[in-house]
């Protein structure tokens, strides 16, 4: 029974995808006598957390006096340990105590130093019955970006590319599209869910991508560009006003409109590590590396990736630039139209 309600928490949490960063995605469900009487998920960054929205949903329906009576006989399910500190909002653990809940069921503890175990302790000190670990692995996977940033001091890195059925990434010259329109739309959805998207100089030059969300409803990610000597012309789509663009280079640090130039000393030394550390300092929680081949191989060689999303098209070319090679655990394999999508975890 606990798992069913926690599964609902995870379903709610996903509704915050692309909006809560750098906060985690969290869902909360309030249950009395085996009936859900309230639920909520974390608002966009700076807004109320999941627990607050769940409590409000009950108060709005029943009025505060009746809601407090119901809470005394209710269990609140939360997909991540309630916060115990003042940030943009007051501590959710204090709210649960104040509202007099009978029990709290938590999927996993929060690794953030100001919370880790402290939210749980507040509930237990107040005499609220607690249970931790229901669908714990599923909850950790949902917030893998948040956990990676806190534990590894870098954004969560998603590699993405398309290859032919015989393993080619690009033609020897010119351009050829590999994946289908449904896959393209899915990529735009992914962009709306992550904080940033990165390409190298050659991809920006040859493909002239805007790296925005056009075939999905959502916010544009920050665009990250590697251009060591600042050789790219300013009329490229990646420099338009649709989103912020961060340019890692060896020439200058400057801010010009929506463009942020960041000079890296010893540019060619530990380049992926330098980039990820700078993005971490900017509170960027996740990044999609879209290419090209040289850029993808840089991150693969450094072991700095967490997940790879690979489209395998139906066409066979017989020649071309070979696709990157990685080893990991196949998390998901599915068809997107006539493309095969593989999601691999490092």
């Amino acid at each position: 029974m606990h798992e069913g309600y926690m599964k609902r928490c995870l379903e709610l949490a996903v509704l915050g995808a692309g909006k809560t960063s750098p906060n985690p995605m969290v869902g909360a469900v309030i249950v009395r006598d085996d009936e859900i009487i309230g639920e909520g998920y974390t608002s966009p960054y700076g807004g109320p957390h999941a627990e607050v929205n769940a409590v409000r949903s009950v108060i709005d329906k029943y009025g505060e006096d009746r809601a407090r009576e119901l809470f005394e006989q209710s269990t609140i399910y939360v997909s991540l340990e309630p916060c115990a500190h003042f940030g943009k909002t007051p501590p959710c653990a204090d709210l649960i105590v104040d509202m007099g809940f009978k029990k709290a069921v938590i999927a996993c503890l929060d690794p953030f130093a100001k919370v880790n175990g402290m939210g749980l302790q507040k509930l237990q000190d107040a005499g609220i019955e607690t249970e931790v670990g229901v669908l714990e692995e599923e909850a950790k996977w949902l917030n893998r970006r948040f956990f990676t940033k806190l534990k590894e001091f870098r954004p969560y890195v998603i590699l993405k590319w398309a290859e032919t059925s015989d393993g080619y990434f690009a033609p020897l010259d010119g351009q050829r599209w590999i994946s289908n329109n449904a896959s393209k739309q899915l990529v735009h959805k992914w962009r709306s869910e992550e904080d940033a998207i990165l390409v190298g100089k050659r991809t920006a030059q040859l493909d002239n991508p805007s790296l925005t969300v056009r075939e999905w409803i959502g916010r544009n990610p920050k665009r990250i560009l590697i251009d060591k000597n600042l050789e790219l012309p300013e009329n490229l789509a990646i420099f338009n006003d649709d989103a912020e663009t961060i340019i890692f280079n060896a020439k200058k640090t400057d801010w010009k409109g929506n463009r942020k130039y960041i000079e890296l000393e010893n540019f060619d030394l530990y380049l992926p590590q330098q980039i990820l550390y700078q993005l971490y300092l900017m509170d960027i929680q996740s990044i999609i590396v879209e290419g090209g081949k040289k850029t993808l191989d840089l991150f693969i060689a450094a072991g700095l990736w967490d997940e790879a999303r690979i489209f395998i098209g139906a066409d066979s070319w017989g020649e071309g630039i070979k696709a990157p090679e990685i080893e990991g655990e196949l998390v998901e394999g599915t068809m997107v139209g006539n493309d095969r999508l593989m999601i691999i975890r490092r």
Side-chain angles (χ1 to χ4, degrees):
M1 188 175 296
H2 284 333
E3 290 190 357
Y5 294 129
M6 192 60 74
K7 185 178 179 183
R8 177 59 183 162
C9 288
L10 298 177
E11 291 171 351
L12 290 165
V14 171
L15 297 177
K19 305 184 185 90
T20 65
S21 179
N23 284 340
M25 296 178 285
V26 183
V29 169
I30 298 171
V31 177
R32 174 183 177 268
D33 292 340
D34 297 330
E35 178 187 352
I36 294 176
I37 61 171
E39 55 185 30
Y41 59 93
T42 299
S43 302
Y45 179 62
H49 292 184
E51 301 92 323
V52 176
N53 287 330
V55 166
R56 280 182 182 172
S57 73
V58 180
I59 292 174
D60 289 346
K61 185 175 181 180
Y62 295 100
E64 185 163 350
D65 290 343
R66 176 58 179 152
R68 283 181 175 272
E69 292 176 6
L70 294 170
F71 293 148
E72 290 175 0
Q73 307 156 37
S74 298
T75 298
I76 184 166
Y77 292 81
V78 192
S79 58
L80 186 69
E81 179 184 5
C83 60
H85 67 295
F86 281 88
K88 294 282 185 181
T89 60
C92 291
D94 289 358
L95 175 69
I96 294 171
V97 170
D98 181 56
M99 290 295 161
F101 278 92
K102 178 182 177 182
K103 183 174 181 177
V105 178
I106 300 163
C108 62
L109 297 182
D110 188 332
F112 185 46
K114 292 183 178 179
V115 181
N116 197 339
M118 298 182 201
L120 176 65
Q121 191 65 52
K122 279 192 173 189
L123 302 183
Q124 292 173 340
D125 289 347
I128 296 173
E129 184 185 348
T130 59
E131 185 171 338
V132 180
V134 177
L135 297 188
E136 181 175 8
E137 291 307 312
E138 291 86 341
K140 286 180 176 178
W141 173 250
L142 175 72
N143 274 314
R144 56 199 182 276
R145 300 159 183 83
F146 178 70
F147 279 68
T148 298
K149 179 171 173 280
L150 288 180
K151 291 181 175 180
E152 301 193 29
F153 307 103
R154 64 167 176 81
Y156 186 86
V157 178
I158 300 167
L159 308 179
K160 186 239 106 183
W161 73 83
E163 62 183 70
T164 62
S165 61
D166 54 349
Y168 291 104
F169 177 84
L172 295 173
D173 52 26
Q175 293 173 274
R176 287 173 72 181
W177 197 259
I178 295 175
S179 53
N180 61 38
N181 286 332
S183 296
K184 183 180 178 182
Q185 185 179 44
L186 181 56
V187 168
H188 284 233
K189 176 180 182 290
W190 290 342
R191 289 177 181 175
S192 75
E193 296 170 347
E194 310 304 336
D195 288 350
I197 181 168
L198 180 148
V199 294
K201 171 191 161 188
R202 182 174 169 81
T203 296
Q205 197 167 32
L206 291 179
D207 297 348
N208 194 22
S210 64
L211 302 182
T212 54
V213 177
R214 300 181 305 283
E215 301 195 19
W216 196 262
I217 297 173
R219 58 138 177 83
N220 291 324
K222 294 181 189 295
R223 299 176 294 203
I224 315 297
L225 174 64
I226 303 172
D227 183 10
K228 180 179 179 179
N229 296 310
L230 299 178
E231 296 170 319
L232 292 174
E234 294 194 355
N235 62 353
L236 290 178
I238 198 168
F239 294 124
N240 66 28
D241 294 331
D242 292 343
E244 180 182 340
T245 302
I246 299 166
I247 305 105
F248 287 103
N249 67 91
K251 296 287 188 180
K252 68 176 182 178
T253 294
D254 191 17
W255 198 322
K256 182 180 178 183
N258 70 319
R259 281 173 246 170
K260 187 181 290 183
Y261 295 88
I262 298 178
E263 180 183 355
L264 298 177
E265 295 183 14
N266 303 313
F267 187 90
D268 295 312
L269 189 65
Y270 302 116
L271 181 58
Q273 289 89 336
Q274 289 194 74
I275 288 172
L276 293 181
Y277 183 63
Q278 290 295 326
L279 296 180
Y280 166 79
L281 294 178
M282 295 179 206
D283 238 355
I284 289 174
Q285 191 166 254
S286 63
I287 180 170
I288 301 174
V289 179
E290 281 214 1
K293 172 80 159 50
K294 179 182 175 182
T295 302
L296 287 161
D297 282 342
L298 268 177
F299 282 84
I300 293 169
L304 287 171
W305 64 278
D306 300 286
E307 187 178 329
R309 300 175 182 179
I310 306 164
F311 290 103
I312 301 175
D315 290 348
S316 175
W317 288 356
E319 64 173 13
I321 298 170
K322 292 295 286 185
E325 295 183 5
I326 55 170
E327 292 184 4
E329 174 194 356
L330 181 64
V331 176
E332 182 182 340
T334 188
M335 298 300 295
V336 182
N338 62 342
D339 290 341
R340 183 156 56 98
L341 170 62
M342 296 196 305
I343 297 180
I344 297 171
R345 178 166 54 185
R346 182 170 66 89

